Each structure stands twice: as C-alpha cells, then as structure tokens.
Amino acid sequence: MVYFSERELGARPRTREDVPANVWQGIVAAIQARIGNGSFGASFPEKCLDGYGIYGTDEQIMRQAILGQFPDLQWPPNDQNPPNGYQVLDLVEFCHAHIAMPRSIGGWHDYYRHYHLAFDQCPGQEEFRTVINQIFTRNGLAYDLQENGEIVRLAPHVLREGLAAALFQTGDQQLDGLLETARHRFVSPDPAARMDGLEKLWDAWERLKTIEYPADKKDSITKLLDRAATEPTFRQALEIEAKALTEIGNKYMIRHTEIGKVPIQTVEQMDYFFHRMFALISLLLRTTGRGG
C-alpha cells in the first residue's frame, strides 16, 4: 500500500540503520497478528483435542523456540526493554522461515468451535515480506527482507544499482569468488560482515593486479591500465587512483592489522572506501571484457 504522503512527496530515503522503538512495535504487531490467525501453526501447531487437525499456533511452543534461538530476546516482548537492532532483524528472519498462509479445510468443528487448517508456505512468506518491507520503507530503514528470507542492507543509493547488476566473469575463479563474497558481505546489516566484505574487495584488487601477467605484478597492472584507458589524461588519472587505493589498503586496517594501521571508525567511511574501490574494479573489468 502506498499512502498519500508517499504519492505526494515520494518515499523517505532509506538510509537509517538503527531500529527505533516504533519499528519494533510494528514488527511485534505483525508477528502477533499472524500468531493469532494461525500462520505459524505449520511449525508450532496447536492441535485439536480430537487429534485430527491443527487449528492455530501453539504460542508456548513458539515462545520456547524463539528463546532457544535468541536467549537475550524477551518474548512476549516488553515495551520497556526493546531489543537491539540485530535481535529484531534476526527475529524477522526466524518468523519468515516458519510462517505459512493458513486456510480452512473441512467443515466447522462445532464441538470445539474452530476450523482445522492447512498451510501454504510461499503465499504466507510473501505476505509477511510485504508487511515487513512496508514498515522498513515507511520508516526509512536501509533494510529489505528478500525472497530467500534473508534481510540485506540497502547499500548507499549511488552503489545500489552497480552492486545489483555486477556480473563477474574474469576468467579467474578465485577472483570471481572474492568479488562475489565482497558484494554479498557488504549488504549485510552487520557492520562486522561489511568490514569483511571491504577486506575481500581489497584482496580482489591485489589479485586483479596480477591477472594480465601473473609473473610480474608491476608489469601486469601496467598492462591492465593500458588496456582500460588509451587516452593519456584518463590513463594518468587511473594510475593515480590505483596507487591511492593501494596506499589506502596499506595504511588503514583493511589488509593489515599491525599496530599503527589506522582503523576505520564509521560505516560512512566504510561505504566511501568500498564505493571508491568498487568503481575502479568495475571499470577495469568492463573495459577489459571481464564483466563488472
């Protein structure tokens, strides 16, 4: 559903990475409504006493399952003590894995005053994703619950399309793997995973330098830049950028962790370095016929 304000003013920028209390409350409401209508009954069945069917969600069993997975999460929730953002997003993924669309089967069970239920997982998951993603969108959160049940972080807008469209066909399986891992890790909600993605991107850069002539790294990067740019001014700009990014990787705590290396202190810095390196690598891959 698109509300009036979105039709008139457009959607909020989706840049927020914390999970405020109102978002937590909206997610709780979405989960509890689906507990109430039996949507979790396939995984946590409330069985009819006659032994012939499921008529809802067993809240106690579901609570025990949640606490078994997330020992630091209070469920049922306490509005006075909301969980941290990671716990909220983990719970959403848990619920997506266990939800299914309930539908009545057979006739009304008059003695126990209920219908028995059957369950369709894909429609239930799709409906749940729609509700959760609308909560994220309305509140400007940089997260998206995807069809596979994973929540990914939406990369900064300037990077988003490039990351989604990139195709790595370098001819070197290990380089393709490093690039794909970097892309996948960088859209994680967890800053530690994103840092790992940044490190993998720099590892890919060092390997890319040797792709033209593995026996001599310096000669190889020269050949790579020569192929990427024939116009002298742009060729010089690429060389300056390549040297600058190599120096960044050596100076900051990206490729090395020795004392004296400069730590990356904010997610904004992480985004900046990733964007800058990804742009160069993507250009070099595209201009040399290796995807990108």
Side-chain angles (χ1 to χ4, degrees):
M1 178 177 181
V2 179
Y3 288 103
F4 176 81
S5 61
E6 293 170 309
R7 296 194 300 272
E8 289 291 306
L9 304 175
R12 288 187 183 186
R14 296 181 67 179
T15 57
R16 188 169 185 173
E17 296 191 16
D18 64 311
V19 180
N22 70 297
V23 169
W24 166 237
Q25 291 162 1
I27 290 171
V28 167
I31 295 170
Q32 289 183 327
R34 284 153 187 81
I35 291 173
N37 70 11
S39 292
F40 295 100
S43 293
F44 313 111
E46 183 81 36
K47 295 181 179 179
C48 181
L49 293 177
D50 67 7
Y52 290 108
I54 298 168
Y55 71 93
T57 301
D58 188 319
E59 295 186 54
Q60 182 62 21
I61 294 177
M62 184 171 176
R63 174 181 179 275
Q64 291 169 347
I66 289 172
L67 297 181
Q69 293 288 324
F70 314 113
D72 298 324
L73 180 69
Q74 183 170 347
W75 192 268
N78 181 352
D79 289 342
Q80 303 304 315
N81 187 28
N84 66 47
Y86 296 142
Q87 292 172 330
V88 174
L89 301 180
D90 285 349
L91 178 63
V92 169
E93 291 187 343
F94 173 90
C95 289
H96 185 275
H98 292 285
I99 202 166
M101 185 73 73
R103 54 184 172 82
S104 301
I105 56 173
W108 172 251
H109 196 165
D110 191 62
Y111 185 82
Y112 288 111
R113 312 295 295 171
H114 59 230
Y115 288 100
H116 290 170
L117 300 175
F119 301 91
D120 299 311
Q121 186 179 53
C122 289
Q125 290 178 330
E126 182 179 3
E127 190 267 345
F128 185 66
R129 286 195 305 273
T130 299
V131 170
I132 296 299
N133 284 329
Q134 184 174 35
I135 292 172
F136 290 159
T137 300
R138 289 286 300 168
N139 289 275
L141 268 64
Y143 300 116
D144 185 72
L145 177 57
Q146 301 197 311
E147 188 174 351
N148 65 1
E150 291 185 3
I151 292 176
V152 300
R153 182 183 72 111
L154 299 177
H157 187 73
V158 70
L159 255 177
R160 198 172 300 166
E161 290 185 6
L163 280 174
L167 179 64
F168 307 120
Q169 297 175 329
T170 67
D172 180 274
Q173 187 174 2
Q174 187 167 346
L175 178 55
D176 288 347
L178 286 168
L179 291 167
E180 190 58 46
T181 299
R183 170 168 61 178
H184 179 74
R185 299 289 282 169
F186 196 69
V187 296
S188 169
D190 182 359
R194 281 183 298 202
M195 188 65 213
D196 182 61
L198 183 65
E199 292 168 2
K200 292 295 188 293
L201 189 65
W202 245 264
D203 290 342
W205 168 233
E206 292 302 318
R207 190 169 181 88
L208 179 59
K209 289 179 184 179
T210 66
I211 199 167
E212 290 287 338
Y213 186 52
D216 188 322
K217 190 175 188 178
K218 185 175 180 180
D219 192 23
S220 182
I221 186 62
T222 298
K223 293 178 183 296
L224 182 65
L225 296 177
D226 285 344
R227 285 188 62 190
T230 56
E231 195 278 316
T233 303
F234 187 57
R235 170 64 176 77
Q236 182 182 21
L238 281 186
E239 182 153 352
I240 291 170
E241 180 71 348
K243 289 179 178 178
L245 288 170
T246 297
E247 183 177 354
I248 286 170
N250 292 329
K251 181 181 295 184
Y252 283 84
M253 202 178 291
I254 298 175
R255 298 189 59 241
H256 307 286
T257 58
E258 300 94 330
I259 293 173
K261 299 300 180 184
V262 181
I264 294 177
Q265 297 179 332
T266 67
V267 294
E268 289 78 15
Q269 290 177 2
M270 203 183 304
D271 286 345
Y272 168 74
F273 286 141
F274 191 98
H275 181 208
R276 191 169 164 184
M277 177 58 85
F278 186 81
L280 176 63
I281 290 176
S282 182
L283 171 68
L284 295 176
L285 294 181
R286 291 198 310 271
T287 53
T288 59
R290 295 184 170 98

